[in-house]
Amino acid sequence: RGRGKARNEGLLSKQKRSRRMKANDRERNRMHHLNSALEALRSVLPTFPDDAKLTKIETLRFAHNYIWALTQSLRLA
């Protein structure tokens, strides 16, 4: 009987490792997609100087403010 328990624990350990590896892969892919999207957003935002790379939060804040400013310009026009 003891052997069956050890086998089950070994199998559970492999399953846990497999699930953790799959979760890590999903998270890695999610972050790659997020970083790609942020890079695409950075490429359309006007920045000065041109080679300045904004952080993630700076990119989002700048995009929000830029869209707001463009909206205000359209309302006034």
Side-chain angles (χ1 to χ4, degrees):
R1 285 199 153 182
R3 294 178 101 186
K5 186 175 182 181
R7 272 193 205 148
N8 286 341
E9 287 176 3
L11 182 61
L12 285 175
S13 177
K14 285 182 182 181
Q15 288 175 339
K16 284 181 181 180
R17 262 185 273 134
S18 176
R19 282 196 300 261
R20 175 60 13 222
M21 288 176 63
K22 288 178 183 177
N24 288 347
D25 285 342
R26 284 192 304 271
E27 178 63 10
R28 193 174 306 106
N29 286 331
R30 186 187 74 82
M31 288 306 299
H32 283 306
H33 286 103
L34 176 62
N35 289 333
S36 295
L38 284 167
E39 194 56 43
L41 182 57
R42 282 185 196 106
S43 72
V44 297
L45 292 174
T47 57
F48 182 79
D50 289 335
D51 62 348
K53 183 179 178 190
L54 301 172
T55 65
K56 292 175 185 178
I57 191 67
E58 288 171 339
T59 300
L60 293 174
R61 287 180 178 150
F62 187 84
H64 175 269
N65 292 334
Y66 185 60
I67 292 168
W68 179 84
L70 291 174
T71 303
Q72 294 303 312
S73 296
L74 287 174
R75 283 188 186 152
L76 294 175

